[in-house]
């Protein structure tokens, strides 16, 4: 049964998972670097983007892509498609494990 919602800051939570990441890398024979190097500043960007942190949620912003389209940027990419592409690429390069496998192979 799911628990109650709770606030979580990735910039605080993820560094505490470094030892678990090291175990995953060893178990799957991954070529990924240590967690801090692998993630860079992305946990802080995610926290900022989602409004996590001591200041609560960020103010809502009105975002429009009209000016981008007027400037000629018409291509779009579905977010789910993009995530699938990059997860698959990271798995092929042995940066992330394949689901259900302990040796880094599909």
């Amino acid at each position: 049964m799911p628990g109650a919602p709770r606030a979580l800051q990735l910039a605080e939570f993820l560094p505490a998972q470094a030892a678990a990441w090291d175990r995953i890398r060893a178990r799957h024979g991954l070529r990924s670097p240590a967690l801090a190097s692998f993630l860079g500043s992305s946990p802080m960007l995610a926290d900022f983007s989602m409004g996590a942190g001591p200041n609560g949620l960020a103010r809502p912003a009105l975002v429009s892509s009209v000016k981008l389209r007027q400037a000629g940027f018409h291509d779009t990419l579905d977010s789910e498609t993009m995530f699938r592409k990059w997860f698959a690429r990271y798995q092929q390069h042995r940066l992330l494990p394949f689901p259900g496998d302990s040796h880094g192979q599909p």
Side-chain angles (χ1 to χ4, degrees):
M1 174 154 205
R6 62 184 174 101
L8 176 73
Q9 289 181 286
L10 294 176
E12 291 178 4
F13 176 77
L14 290 175
Q17 308 309 312
W21 177 243
D22 289 340
R23 289 190 301 274
I24 291 168
R25 290 189 307 151
R27 182 178 344 129
H28 294 277
L30 300 178
R31 297 187 302 193
S32 303
L35 190 60
S37 296
F38 195 47
L39 295 176
S41 60
S42 60
M44 289 159 285
L45 176 61
D47 286 343
F48 174 78
S49 299
M50 293 185 278
N55 298 326
L57 293 175
R59 290 185 0 206
L62 180 61
V63 179
S64 172
S65 60
V66 171
K67 287 187 179 185
L68 287 171
R69 299 208 186 284
Q70 289 172 338
F73 295 94
H74 301 286
D75 291 342
T76 60
L77 178 63
D78 178 66
S79 295
E80 185 173 339
T81 301
M82 183 268 308
F83 277 111
R84 288 180 187 274
K85 169 190 166 182
W86 284 105
F87 278 115
R89 187 170 290 177
Y90 279 23
Q91 289 167 333
Q92 290 167 353
H93 290 281
R94 292 184 31 223
L95 297 171
L96 290 176
F98 286 93
D101 183 68
S102 61
H103 302 293
Q105 300 296 320

